[in-house]
Amino acid sequence: MDWTTLIGEPFSHPFMRDALCMSIFIAVMCGGVGVLLVPRGLSMLGDGLAHATLGGVGSALLLGFAPETSLWAAMPFAVVVALGIAWLGRHVRISSDAALGVFFAVSLAAGIAAIHIAARKGVQVDMESILFGNILAVQPEDLNIVGSLSLLVVMLLLWFGPRIAYAGFYPDLASMSGIRVVLKEYVLMALTAVVTVTAVRAVGVLLVSAYLVIPTVTARMISWRLGPMMLLSICTGVMGSAFGLVMSYHFDIPSGSAMTLCLGLLFILAVGIRGLRHSH
Amino acid sequence: MSEHSQKHGHSHKQEASGGVMQSSARVLEPPPSELRPILEWQQVSLEFAGRQVLHDLTAWVGAGELTCLCGSNGAGKTQMVRLGLGFMRPAVGKIILLGGDPSETRHKVGYVPQLKAFNRSFPATVEDALVAAIRGAWPLFRRGGERDRAAAALQRVGGLTLLDKDISVLSGGELQRVFVARALLQDPELLVLDEPLAAIDTKGRAQLMDLMGELRAAKKITILLITHSEPVVRSLADRVIFLDKGHLVGWGETSRMLAIDELRDVAFIGHDHESAIHGEEG
């Protein structure tokens, strides 16, 4: 098989090109936000919020949203959950992972109950695409929404990112420099909720943390500065998505798992590069 | 200043309260009225996590002096400093920092916090940490000029070779030097150091003490230092403030305060973990 067949053939199909565009948008958002999230010890926040998204989907269905739009309707729910986790951690003095555990379980349970009630009313939900994602079925309107969100997230990252990062390094020192640390924490949580729900559309609830965590830790193997890490993280996400889509096409395996496996391979490669650098 | 002198320019003894050091040992001798107050706690009380941690506390730090804040673990030293820097508000009383409200004036303070609360896994070089203090935001990408300022600050504390190092691989002493360099970057009027000698090795400790000695000798900067180490207090401090269970139990010139056994027992006996970690005498 030559390179043209390997790479060119999959992307000769419009649905594959749409999927690639979608994955690039998601990689940009997740790569940027993940670099701010993971060093704070919040690697599993995306995973928790993705599960909480089910609660939003269920609520949206009960409110009369169509199944195909219910995921987008779940976004405000996920944002409220994310802000709730931050509020609980700050005011009730429980750790972020414990607060995440509470919201994660309760909203997942609420989501399952709501989806069950909706199903009794005859509303059918494609649970497989929510759990595992279906980036190959992306619609042009989805691309428009995700493209716009991606642009918004990048602008917010450029504006807030350096101050969110400073607050993550040492909150007291950031505060001494005039940064409103609490506000920045809430902004980061809201951004994470937005990118998580968006990534659920591509890789599903079960694999969403792959996009937030793996590119970040891969970049950390190569660079120990935040700015270059952010760029490397985005590049890792884009490459893992592209290779994953190609692999999914040729081996006929689910796109979400193929993309996650490729991200994992890139991480192993980065660990190897780091090992080589240290040995020299 | 005259109003201030009236308020603080006399010695007095406080009433004893349950469980706190005996009243006979309480000696409160504020600095002379000629000194300008840089940081003042005026009749401050503070509740934290449902417990009263500071009780009707009045003290101040005079310009150009090195004042040590001492007391046992849980005496309220860190809360007193955090109040002074505007990280929290007192339930009762008032804080005046550099003539104003701490939230508005604290950017003129160089603060060296405890290392134990620092996120060591954060992806940063020493240069990043210093440039962040210059910019007031984390430097995602480098700009010209800032590196020179960061290098100059590190040189001042004898740590120029650390500039490009990953901050996670630094020893406690190296890290503390970076934080002091960071605090000195903006030419602060007040330098506040919270247990800077804790968890650093003998060499780092000696270097840091030398640096503080130089800063003190220059008299251009006021220093407030939280410490558990009697030798540090003896060799560096102009004045000492002693806390016991949130009460002010001693305040005055170093030689006078260290001559009082009860105060030394409260602050130093069994609490000098800054040197105990390394098995030093001090």
Side-chain angles (χ1 to χ4, degrees), chain A residues 39 162 165-166 169-170 172 175 179 224-225 227, chain B residues 82 106 113-114 118-119 124 128 138 140 182:
Chain A
Y166 196 2
F169 173 69
Y170 207 130
D172 283 354
S175 183
I179 291 172
W224 56 83
R225 297 197 60 238
Chain B
R82 290 180 66 78
R106 67 182 175 189
Q114 289 187 23
F118 161 63
N119 179 3
D128 289 336
W138 196 260
L140 294 183
R182 185 199 168 284

mmCIF file with all atom_site columns, all heavy atoms in Angstrom, chain A residues 39 162 165-166 169-170 172 175 179 224-225 227, chain B residues 82 106 113-114 118-119 124 128 138 140 182:
data_model
loop_
_atom_site.group_PDB
_atom_site.id
_atom_site.type_symbol
_atom_site.label_atom_id
_atom_site.label_alt_id
_atom_site.label_comp_id
_atom_site.label_asym_id
_atom_site.label_entity_id
_atom_site.label_seq_id
_atom_site.pdbx_PDB_ins_code
_atom_site.Cartn_x
_atom_site.Cartn_y
_atom_site.Cartn_z
_atom_site.occupancy
_atom_site.B_iso_or_equiv
_atom_site.pdbx_formal_charge
_atom_site.auth_seq_id
_atom_site.auth_comp_id
_atom_site.auth_asym_id
_atom_site.auth_atom_id
_atom_site.pdbx_PDB_model_num
ATOM 1   N N   . PRO A 1 39  ? -1.801 20.060 35.134 1.00 0.00 ? 39  PRO A N   1
ATOM 2   C CA  . PRO A 1 39  ? -0.844 20.409 36.199 1.00 0.00 ? 39  PRO A CA  1
ATOM 3   C C   . PRO A 1 39  ? -1.502 20.757 37.528 1.00 0.00 ? 39  PRO A C   1
ATOM 4   O O   . PRO A 1 39  ? -0.861 20.753 38.563 1.00 0.00 ? 39  PRO A O   1
ATOM 5   C CB  . PRO A 1 39  ? -0.104 21.633 35.629 1.00 0.00 ? 39  PRO A CB  1
ATOM 6   C CG  . PRO A 1 39  ? -0.282 21.535 34.161 1.00 0.00 ? 39  PRO A CG  1
ATOM 7   C CD  . PRO A 1 39  ? -1.630 20.937 33.969 1.00 0.00 ? 39  PRO A CD  1
ATOM 8   N N   . PRO A 1 162 ? -2.887 32.877 30.441 1.00 0.00 ? 162 PRO A N   1
ATOM 9   C CA  . PRO A 1 162 ? -1.697 33.184 31.242 1.00 0.00 ? 162 PRO A CA  1
ATOM 10  C C   . PRO A 1 162 ? -2.018 33.444 32.716 1.00 0.00 ? 162 PRO A C   1
ATOM 11  O O   . PRO A 1 162 ? -1.240 33.081 33.594 1.00 0.00 ? 162 PRO A O   1
ATOM 12  C CB  . PRO A 1 162 ? -1.148 34.454 30.574 1.00 0.00 ? 162 PRO A CB  1
ATOM 13  C CG  . PRO A 1 162 ? -1.636 34.375 29.172 1.00 0.00 ? 162 PRO A CG  1
ATOM 14  C CD  . PRO A 1 162 ? -3.004 33.760 29.267 1.00 0.00 ? 162 PRO A CD  1
ATOM 15  N N   . ALA A 1 165 ? -3.035 30.089 34.338 1.00 0.00 ? 165 ALA A N   1
ATOM 16  C CA  . ALA A 1 165 ? -1.819 29.298 34.565 1.00 0.00 ? 165 ALA A CA  1
ATOM 17  C C   . ALA A 1 165 ? -1.080 29.792 35.808 1.00 0.00 ? 165 ALA A C   1
ATOM 18  O O   . ALA A 1 165 ? -0.646 28.998 36.638 1.00 0.00 ? 165 ALA A O   1
ATOM 19  C CB  . ALA A 1 165 ? -0.912 29.392 33.338 1.00 0.00 ? 165 ALA A CB  1
ATOM 20  N N   . TYR A 1 166 ? -0.968 31.099 35.950 1.00 0.00 ? 166 TYR A N   1
ATOM 21  C CA  . TYR A 1 166 ? -0.262 31.679 37.106 1.00 0.00 ? 166 TYR A CA  1
ATOM 22  C C   . TYR A 1 166 ? -0.959 31.267 38.404 1.00 0.00 ? 166 TYR A C   1
ATOM 23  O O   . TYR A 1 166 ? -0.330 30.875 39.390 1.00 0.00 ? 166 TYR A O   1
ATOM 24  C CB  . TYR A 1 166 ? -0.228 33.200 36.964 1.00 0.00 ? 166 TYR A CB  1
ATOM 25  C CG  . TYR A 1 166 ? 0.760  33.931 37.845 1.00 0.00 ? 166 TYR A CG  1
ATOM 26  C CD1 . TYR A 1 166 ? 1.626  33.267 38.699 1.00 0.00 ? 166 TYR A CD1 1
ATOM 27  C CD2 . TYR A 1 166 ? 0.831  35.320 37.802 1.00 0.00 ? 166 TYR A CD2 1
ATOM 28  C CE1 . TYR A 1 166 ? 2.532  33.950 39.486 1.00 0.00 ? 166 TYR A CE1 1
ATOM 29  C CE2 . TYR A 1 166 ? 1.736  36.024 38.577 1.00 0.00 ? 166 TYR A CE2 1
ATOM 30  C CZ  . TYR A 1 166 ? 2.569  35.332 39.428 1.00 0.00 ? 166 TYR A CZ  1
ATOM 31  O OH  . TYR A 1 166 ? 3.464  36.026 40.210 1.00 0.00 ? 166 TYR A OH  1
ATOM 32  N N   . PHE A 1 169 ? -0.026 27.803 39.329 1.00 0.00 ? 169 PHE A N   1
ATOM 33  C CA  . PHE A 1 169 ? 1.354  27.666 39.808 1.00 0.00 ? 169 PHE A CA  1
ATOM 34  C C   . PHE A 1 169 ? 1.418  27.898 41.318 1.00 0.00 ? 169 PHE A C   1
ATOM 35  O O   . PHE A 1 169 ? 1.934  27.091 42.070 1.00 0.00 ? 169 PHE A O   1
ATOM 36  C CB  . PHE A 1 169 ? 2.237  28.676 39.072 1.00 0.00 ? 169 PHE A CB  1
ATOM 37  C CG  . PHE A 1 169 ? 3.655  28.756 39.579 1.00 0.00 ? 169 PHE A CG  1
ATOM 38  C CD1 . PHE A 1 169 ? 4.527  27.706 39.388 1.00 0.00 ? 169 PHE A CD1 1
ATOM 39  C CD2 . PHE A 1 169 ? 4.111  29.887 40.232 1.00 0.00 ? 169 PHE A CD2 1
ATOM 40  C CE1 . PHE A 1 169 ? 5.841  27.781 39.840 1.00 0.00 ? 169 PHE A CE1 1
ATOM 41  C CE2 . PHE A 1 169 ? 5.412  29.971 40.695 1.00 0.00 ? 169 PHE A CE2 1
ATOM 42  C CZ  . PHE A 1 169 ? 6.283  28.916 40.498 1.00 0.00 ? 169 PHE A CZ  1
ATOM 43  N N   . TYR A 1 170 ? 0.897  29.016 41.764 1.00 0.00 ? 170 TYR A N   1
ATOM 44  C CA  . TYR A 1 170 ? 0.851  29.318 43.201 1.00 0.00 ? 170 TYR A CA  1
ATOM 45  C C   . TYR A 1 170 ? -0.212 30.400 43.418 1.00 0.00 ? 170 TYR A C   1
ATOM 46  O O   . TYR A 1 170 ? 0.037  31.574 43.159 1.00 0.00 ? 170 TYR A O   1
ATOM 47  C CB  . TYR A 1 170 ? 2.206  29.804 43.696 1.00 0.00 ? 170 TYR A CB  1
ATOM 48  C CG  . TYR A 1 170 ? 2.438  29.517 45.174 1.00 0.00 ? 170 TYR A CG  1
ATOM 49  C CD1 . TYR A 1 170 ? 3.595  28.905 45.612 1.00 0.00 ? 170 TYR A CD1 1
ATOM 50  C CD2 . TYR A 1 170 ? 1.495  29.853 46.128 1.00 0.00 ? 170 TYR A CD2 1
ATOM 51  C CE1 . TYR A 1 170 ? 3.810  28.619 46.949 1.00 0.00 ? 170 TYR A CE1 1
ATOM 52  C CE2 . TYR A 1 170 ? 1.695  29.575 47.457 1.00 0.00 ? 170 TYR A CE2 1
ATOM 53  C CZ  . TYR A 1 170 ? 2.851  28.957 47.868 1.00 0.00 ? 170 TYR A CZ  1
ATOM 54  O OH  . TYR A 1 170 ? 3.048  28.671 49.190 1.00 0.00 ? 170 TYR A OH  1
ATOM 55  N N   . ASP A 1 172 ? -1.468 32.078 45.869 1.00 0.00 ? 172 ASP A N   1
ATOM 56  C CA  . ASP A 1 172 ? -1.180 33.265 46.683 1.00 0.00 ? 172 ASP A CA  1
ATOM 57  C C   . ASP A 1 172 ? -0.308 34.266 45.926 1.00 0.00 ? 172 ASP A C   1
ATOM 58  O O   . ASP A 1 172 ? -0.513 35.480 46.013 1.00 0.00 ? 172 ASP A O   1
ATOM 59  C CB  . ASP A 1 172 ? -0.472 32.868 47.982 1.00 0.00 ? 172 ASP A CB  1
ATOM 60  C CG  . ASP A 1 172 ? -1.438 32.286 49.001 1.00 0.00 ? 172 ASP A CG  1
ATOM 61  O OD1 . ASP A 1 172 ? -2.653 32.309 48.738 1.00 0.00 ? 172 ASP A OD1 1
ATOM 62  O OD2 . ASP A 1 172 ? -0.973 31.808 50.042 1.00 0.00 ? 172 ASP A OD2 1
ATOM 63  N N   . SER A 1 175 ? -2.334 35.947 43.334 1.00 0.00 ? 175 SER A N   1
ATOM 64  C CA  . SER A 1 175 ? -3.201 36.925 43.984 1.00 0.00 ? 175 SER A CA  1
ATOM 65  C C   . SER A 1 175 ? -2.425 38.191 44.335 1.00 0.00 ? 175 SER A C   1
ATOM 66  O O   . SER A 1 175 ? -2.925 39.312 44.174 1.00 0.00 ? 175 SER A O   1
ATOM 67  C CB  . SER A 1 175 ? -3.788 36.273 45.242 1.00 0.00 ? 175 SER A CB  1
ATOM 68  O OG  . SER A 1 175 ? -4.671 37.146 45.864 1.00 0.00 ? 175 SER A OG  1
ATOM 69  N N   . ILE A 1 179 ? -4.122 39.064 40.438 1.00 0.00 ? 179 ILE A N   1
ATOM 70  C CA  . ILE A 1 179 ? -5.003 38.155 39.695 1.00 0.00 ? 179 ILE A CA  1
ATOM 71  C C   . ILE A 1 179 ? -6.142 37.697 40.591 1.00 0.00 ? 179 ILE A C   1
ATOM 72  O O   . ILE A 1 179 ? -5.932 37.346 41.754 1.00 0.00 ? 179 ILE A O   1
ATOM 73  C CB  . ILE A 1 179 ? -4.198 36.944 39.178 1.00 0.00 ? 179 ILE A CB  1
ATOM 74  C CG1 . ILE A 1 179 ? -3.245 37.420 38.082 1.00 0.00 ? 179 ILE A CG1 1
ATOM 75  C CG2 . ILE A 1 179 ? -5.113 35.846 38.655 1.00 0.00 ? 179 ILE A CG2 1
ATOM 76  C CD1 . ILE A 1 179 ? -2.271 36.380 37.609 1.00 0.00 ? 179 ILE A CD1 1
ATOM 77  N N   . TRP A 1 224 ? 9.141  21.400 29.192 1.00 0.00 ? 224 TRP A N   1
ATOM 78  C CA  . TRP A 1 224 ? 8.754  21.735 30.566 1.00 0.00 ? 224 TRP A CA  1
ATOM 79  C C   . TRP A 1 224 ? 8.391  23.207 30.673 1.00 0.00 ? 224 TRP A C   1
ATOM 80  O O   . TRP A 1 224 ? 8.478  23.804 31.719 1.00 0.00 ? 224 TRP A O   1
ATOM 81  C CB  . TRP A 1 224 ? 9.818  21.331 31.574 1.00 0.00 ? 224 TRP A CB  1
ATOM 82  C CG  . TRP A 1 224 ? 11.182 21.891 31.345 1.00 0.00 ? 224 TRP A CG  1
ATOM 83  C CD1 . TRP A 1 224 ? 11.631 23.114 31.721 1.00 0.00 ? 224 TRP A CD1 1
ATOM 84  C CD2 . TRP A 1 224 ? 12.273 21.259 30.700 1.00 0.00 ? 224 TRP A CD2 1
ATOM 85  N NE1 . TRP A 1 224 ? 12.923 23.279 31.339 1.00 0.00 ? 224 TRP A NE1 1
ATOM 86  C CE2 . TRP A 1 224 ? 13.353 22.156 30.718 1.00 0.00 ? 224 TRP A CE2 1
ATOM 87  C CE3 . TRP A 1 224 ? 12.433 20.014 30.092 1.00 0.00 ? 224 TRP A CE3 1
ATOM 88  C CZ2 . TRP A 1 224 ? 14.588 21.852 30.143 1.00 0.00 ? 224 TRP A CZ2 1
ATOM 89  C CZ3 . TRP A 1 224 ? 13.665 19.715 29.533 1.00 0.00 ? 224 TRP A CZ3 1
ATOM 90  C CH2 . TRP A 1 224 ? 14.719 20.622 29.565 1.00 0.00 ? 224 TRP A CH2 1
ATOM 91  N N   . ARG A 1 225 ? 7.996  23.793 29.515 1.00 0.00 ? 225 ARG A N   1
ATOM 92  C CA  . ARG A 1 225 ? 7.477  25.167 29.554 1.00 0.00 ? 225 ARG A CA  1
ATOM 93  C C   . ARG A 1 225 ? 6.036  25.150 29.037 1.00 0.00 ? 225 ARG A C   1
ATOM 94  O O   . ARG A 1 225 ? 5.717  24.429 28.082 1.00 0.00 ? 225 ARG A O   1
ATOM 95  C CB  . ARG A 1 225 ? 8.331  26.105 28.711 1.00 0.00 ? 225 ARG A CB  1
ATOM 96  C CG  . ARG A 1 225 ? 9.762  26.226 29.228 1.00 0.00 ? 225 ARG A CG  1
ATOM 97  C CD  . ARG A 1 225 ? 10.449 27.443 28.657 1.00 0.00 ? 225 ARG A CD  1
ATOM 98  N NE  . ARG A 1 225 ? 9.761  28.656 29.016 1.00 0.00 ? 225 ARG A NE  1
ATOM 99  C CZ  . ARG A 1 225 ? 9.281  29.527 28.131 1.00 0.00 ? 225 ARG A CZ  1
ATOM 100 N NH1 . ARG A 1 225 ? 9.431  29.312 26.852 1.00 0.00 ? 225 ARG A NH1 1
ATOM 101 N NH2 . ARG A 1 225 ? 8.673  30.615 28.527 1.00 0.00 ? 225 ARG A NH2 1
ATOM 102 N N   . GLY A 1 227 ? 3.945  27.311 27.437 1.00 0.00 ? 227 GLY A N   1
ATOM 103 C CA  . GLY A 1 227 ? 3.570  27.755 26.094 1.00 0.00 ? 227 GLY A CA  1
ATOM 104 C C   . GLY A 1 227 ? 3.879  26.702 25.033 1.00 0.00 ? 227 GLY A C   1
ATOM 105 O O   . GLY A 1 227 ? 2.970  26.256 24.298 1.00 0.00 ? 227 GLY A O   1
ATOM 106 N N   . ARG B 2 82  ? -1.096 36.290 56.685 1.00 0.00 ? 82  ARG B N   1
ATOM 107 C CA  . ARG B 2 82  ? -2.074 36.263 55.580 1.00 0.00 ? 82  ARG B CA  1
ATOM 108 C C   . ARG B 2 82  ? -3.100 37.391 55.746 1.00 0.00 ? 82  ARG B C   1
ATOM 109 O O   . ARG B 2 82  ? -3.551 37.967 54.767 1.00 0.00 ? 82  ARG B O   1
ATOM 110 C CB  . ARG B 2 82  ? -2.755 34.903 55.499 1.00 0.00 ? 82  ARG B CB  1
ATOM 111 C CG  . ARG B 2 82  ? -1.808 33.803 55.009 1.00 0.00 ? 82  ARG B CG  1
ATOM 112 C CD  . ARG B 2 82  ? -2.506 32.457 54.928 1.00 0.00 ? 82  ARG B CD  1
ATOM 113 N NE  . ARG B 2 82  ? -3.557 32.426 53.923 1.00 0.00 ? 82  ARG B NE  1
ATOM 114 C CZ  . ARG B 2 82  ? -3.345 32.306 52.617 1.00 0.00 ? 82  ARG B CZ  1
ATOM 115 N NH1 . ARG B 2 82  ? -2.128 32.176 52.159 1.00 0.00 ? 82  ARG B NH1 1
ATOM 116 N NH2 . ARG B 2 82  ? -4.344 32.304 51.778 1.00 0.00 ? 82  ARG B NH2 1
ATOM 117 N N   . ARG B 2 106 ? -0.777 45.544 48.462 1.00 0.00 ? 106 ARG B N   1
ATOM 118 C CA  . ARG B 2 106 ? 0.085  44.371 48.626 1.00 0.00 ? 106 ARG B CA  1
ATOM 119 C C   . ARG B 2 106 ? 0.980  44.102 47.419 1.00 0.00 ? 106 ARG B C   1
ATOM 120 O O   . ARG B 2 106 ? 1.909  43.308 47.511 1.00 0.00 ? 106 ARG B O   1
ATOM 121 C CB  . ARG B 2 106 ? -0.739 43.140 48.975 1.00 0.00 ? 106 ARG B CB  1
ATOM 122 C CG  . ARG B 2 106 ? -1.660 42.656 47.879 1.00 0.00 ? 106 ARG B CG  1
ATOM 123 C CD  . ARG B 2 106 ? -2.432 41.465 48.381 1.00 0.00 ? 106 ARG B CD  1
ATOM 124 N NE  . ARG B 2 106 ? -3.412 41.039 47.391 1.00 0.00 ? 106 ARG B NE  1
ATOM 125 C CZ  . ARG B 2 106 ? -4.321 40.138 47.634 1.00 0.00 ? 106 ARG B CZ  1
ATOM 126 N NH1 . ARG B 2 106 ? -4.413 39.592 48.804 1.00 0.00 ? 106 ARG B NH1 1
ATOM 127 N NH2 . ARG B 2 106 ? -5.173 39.781 46.687 1.00 0.00 ? 106 ARG B NH2 1
ATOM 128 N N   . PRO B 2 113 ? 6.293  32.624 50.167 1.00 0.00 ? 113 PRO B N   1
ATOM 129 C CA  . PRO B 2 113 ? 5.401  31.745 50.935 1.00 0.00 ? 113 PRO B CA  1
ATOM 130 C C   . PRO B 2 113 ? 6.091  30.438 51.311 1.00 0.00 ? 113 PRO B C   1
ATOM 131 O O   . PRO B 2 113 ? 7.225  30.184 50.889 1.00 0.00 ? 113 PRO B O   1
ATOM 132 C CB  . PRO B 2 113 ? 4.253  31.481 49.953 1.00 0.00 ? 113 PRO B CB  1
ATOM 133 C CG  . PRO B 2 113 ? 4.870  31.630 48.610 1.00 0.00 ? 113 PRO B CG  1
ATOM 134 C CD  . PRO B 2 113 ? 6.016  32.600 48.736 1.00 0.00 ? 113 PRO B CD  1
ATOM 135 N N   . GLN B 2 114 ? 5.384  29.612 52.063 1.00 0.00 ? 114 GLN B N   1
ATOM 136 C CA  . GLN B 2 114 ? 5.940  28.307 52.443 1.00 0.00 ? 114 GLN B CA  1
ATOM 137 C C   . GLN B 2 114 ? 6.043  27.411 51.210 1.00 0.00 ? 114 GLN B C   1
ATOM 138 O O   . GLN B 2 114 ? 5.131  27.377 50.385 1.00 0.00 ? 114 GLN B O   1
ATOM 139 C CB  . GLN B 2 114 ? 5.032  27.632 53.463 1.00 0.00 ? 114 GLN B CB  1
ATOM 140 C CG  . GLN B 2 114 ? 5.076  28.296 54.823 1.00 0.00 ? 114 GLN B CG  1
ATOM 141 C CD  . GLN B 2 114 ? 4.289  27.515 55.868 1.00 0.00 ? 114 GLN B CD  1
ATOM 142 O OE1 . GLN B 2 114 ? 4.056  26.322 55.736 1.00 0.00 ? 114 GLN B OE1 1
ATOM 143 N NE2 . GLN B 2 114 ? 3.870  28.210 56.909 1.00 0.00 ? 114 GLN B NE2 1
ATOM 144 N N   . PHE B 2 118 ? 3.515  24.746 47.436 1.00 0.00 ? 118 PHE B N   1
ATOM 145 C CA  . PHE B 2 118 ? 3.884  25.029 46.052 1.00 0.00 ? 118 PHE B CA  1
ATOM 146 C C   . PHE B 2 118 ? 3.664  23.787 45.177 1.00 0.00 ? 118 PHE B C   1
ATOM 147 O O   . PHE B 2 118 ? 4.019  22.682 45.564 1.00 0.00 ? 118 PHE B O   1
ATOM 148 C CB  . PHE B 2 118 ? 5.346  25.489 46.035 1.00 0.00 ? 118 PHE B CB  1
ATOM 149 C CG  . PHE B 2 118 ? 6.025  25.388 44.714 1.00 0.00 ? 118 PHE B CG  1
ATOM 150 C CD1 . PHE B 2 118 ? 5.574  26.135 43.643 1.00 0.00 ? 118 PHE B CD1 1
ATOM 151 C CD2 . PHE B 2 118 ? 7.122  24.562 44.533 1.00 0.00 ? 118 PHE B CD2 1
ATOM 152 C CE1 . PHE B 2 118 ? 6.202  26.047 42.416 1.00 0.00 ? 118 PHE B CE1 1
ATOM 153 C CE2 . PHE B 2 118 ? 7.754  24.478 43.322 1.00 0.00 ? 118 PHE B CE2 1
ATOM 154 C CZ  . PHE B 2 118 ? 7.294  25.223 42.256 1.00 0.00 ? 118 PHE B CZ  1
ATOM 155 N N   . ASN B 2 119 ? 3.075  23.999 43.997 1.00 0.00 ? 119 ASN B N   1
ATOM 156 C CA  . ASN B 2 119 ? 2.785  22.912 43.063 1.00 0.00 ? 119 ASN B CA  1
ATOM 157 C C   . ASN B 2 119 ? 4.042  22.574 42.265 1.00 0.00 ? 119 ASN B C   1
ATOM 158 O O   . ASN B 2 119 ? 4.315  23.162 41.228 1.00 0.00 ? 119 ASN B O   1
ATOM 159 C CB  . ASN B 2 119 ? 1.638  23.350 42.140 1.00 0.00 ? 119 ASN B CB  1
ATOM 160 C CG  . ASN B 2 119 ? 1.285  22.297 41.121 1.00 0.00 ? 119 ASN B CG  1
ATOM 161 O OD1 . ASN B 2 119 ? 1.843  21.206 41.106 1.00 0.00 ? 119 ASN B OD1 1
ATOM 162 N ND2 . ASN B 2 119 ? 0.338  22.630 40.257 1.00 0.00 ? 119 ASN B ND2 1
ATOM 163 N N   . ALA B 2 124 ? 7.328  24.479 34.526 1.00 0.00 ? 124 ALA B N   1
ATOM 164 C CA  . ALA B 2 124 ? 7.875  25.835 34.546 1.00 0.00 ? 124 ALA B CA  1
ATOM 165 C C   . ALA B 2 124 ? 9.388  25.803 34.650 1.00 0.00 ? 124 ALA B C   1
ATOM 166 O O   . ALA B 2 124 ? 9.953  24.920 35.301 1.00 0.00 ? 124 ALA B O   1
ATOM 167 C CB  . ALA B 2 124 ? 7.307  26.597 35.745 1.00 0.00 ? 124 ALA B CB  1
ATOM 168 N N   . ASP B 2 128 ? 10.536 31.341 33.883 1.00 0.00 ? 128 ASP B N   1
ATOM 169 C CA  . ASP B 2 128 ? 9.078  31.536 33.818 1.00 0.00 ? 128 ASP B CA  1
ATOM 170 C C   . ASP B 2 128 ? 8.540  32.094 35.144 1.00 0.00 ? 128 ASP B C   1
ATOM 171 O O   . ASP B 2 128 ? 7.734  33.027 35.157 1.00 0.00 ? 128 ASP B O   1
ATOM 172 C CB  . ASP B 2 128 ? 8.370  30.203 33.541 1.00 0.00 ? 128 ASP B CB  1
ATOM 173 C CG  . ASP B 2 128 ? 8.590  29.711 32.128 1.00 0.00 ? 128 ASP B CG  1
ATOM 174 O OD1 . ASP B 2 128 ? 8.881  30.542 31.248 1.00 0.00 ? 128 ASP B OD1 1
ATOM 175 O OD2 . ASP B 2 128 ? 8.486  28.497 31.909 1.00 0.00 ? 128 ASP B OD2 1
ATOM 176 N N   . TRP B 2 138 ? 1.248  34.445 33.571 1.00 0.00 ? 138 TRP B N   1
ATOM 177 C CA  . TRP B 2 138 ? 2.232  33.415 33.254 1.00 0.00 ? 138 TRP B CA  1
ATOM 178 C C   . TRP B 2 138 ? 2.763  33.612 31.830 1.00 0.00 ? 138 TRP B C   1
ATOM 179 O O   . TRP B 2 138 ? 1.978  33.820 30.911 1.00 0.00 ? 138 TRP B O   1
ATOM 180 C CB  . TRP B 2 138 ? 1.612  32.014 33.382 1.00 0.00 ? 138 TRP B CB  1
ATOM 181 C CG  . TRP B 2 138 ? 2.692  30.977 33.439 1.00 0.00 ? 138 TRP B CG  1
ATOM 182 C CD1 . TRP B 2 138 ? 3.143  30.185 32.435 1.00 0.00 ? 138 TRP B CD1 1
ATOM 183 C CD2 . TRP B 2 138 ? 3.503  30.684 34.575 1.00 0.00 ? 138 TRP B CD2 1
ATOM 184 N NE1 . TRP B 2 138 ? 4.178  29.412 32.877 1.00 0.00 ? 138 TRP B NE1 1
ATOM 185 C CE2 . TRP B 2 138 ? 4.420  29.688 34.184 1.00 0.00 ? 138 TRP B CE2 1
ATOM 186 C CE3 . TRP B 2 138 ? 3.554  31.168 35.882 1.00 0.00 ? 138 TRP B CE3 1
ATOM 187 C CZ2 . TRP B 2 138 ? 5.370  29.165 35.053 1.00 0.00 ? 138 TRP B CZ2 1
ATOM 188 C CZ3 . TRP B 2 138 ? 4.493  30.649 36.742 1.00 0.00 ? 138 TRP B CZ3 1
ATOM 189 C CH2 . TRP B 2 138 ? 5.382  29.653 36.332 1.00 0.00 ? 138 TRP B CH2 1
ATOM 190 N N   . LEU B 2 140 ? 3.507  32.487 28.578 1.00 0.00 ? 140 LEU B N   1
ATOM 191 C CA  . LEU B 2 140 ? 3.385  31.318 27.693 1.00 0.00 ? 140 LEU B CA  1
ATOM 192 C C   . LEU B 2 140 ? 4.531  31.332 26.683 1.00 0.00 ? 140 LEU B C   1
ATOM 193 O O   . LEU B 2 140 ? 5.063  30.300 26.306 1.00 0.00 ? 140 LEU B O   1
ATOM 194 C CB  . LEU B 2 140 ? 2.039  31.329 26.971 1.00 0.00 ? 140 LEU B CB  1
ATOM 195 C CG  . LEU B 2 140 ? 0.804  31.159 27.875 1.00 0.00 ? 140 LEU B CG  1
ATOM 196 C CD1 . LEU B 2 140 ? -0.468 31.114 27.048 1.00 0.00 ? 140 LEU B CD1 1
ATOM 197 C CD2 . LEU B 2 140 ? 0.903  29.897 28.728 1.00 0.00 ? 140 LEU B CD2 1
ATOM 198 N N   . ARG B 2 182 ? 12.457 36.233 43.229 1.00 0.00 ? 182 ARG B N   1
ATOM 199 C CA  . ARG B 2 182 ? 11.161 36.630 42.684 1.00 0.00 ? 182 ARG B CA  1
ATOM 200 C C   . ARG B 2 182 ? 10.544 37.770 43.521 1.00 0.00 ? 182 ARG B C   1
ATOM 201 O O   . ARG B 2 182 ? 10.009 38.733 42.994 1.00 0.00 ? 182 ARG B O   1
ATOM 202 C CB  . ARG B 2 182 ? 10.248 35.401 42.694 1.00 0.00 ? 182 ARG B CB  1
ATOM 203 C CG  . ARG B 2 182 ? 8.929  35.607 42.060 1.00 0.00 ? 182 ARG B CG  1
ATOM 204 C CD  . ARG B 2 182 ? 7.927  34.569 42.477 1.00 0.00 ? 182 ARG B CD  1
ATOM 205 N NE  . ARG B 2 182 ? 6.632  35.027 42.033 1.00 0.00 ? 182 ARG B NE  1
ATOM 206 C CZ  . ARG B 2 182 ? 5.936  35.979 42.631 1.00 0.00 ? 182 ARG B CZ  1
ATOM 207 N NH1 . ARG B 2 182 ? 6.398  36.559 43.715 1.00 0.00 ? 182 ARG B NH1 1
ATOM 208 N NH2 . ARG B 2 182 ? 4.776  36.371 42.146 1.00 0.00 ? 182 ARG B NH2 1
#
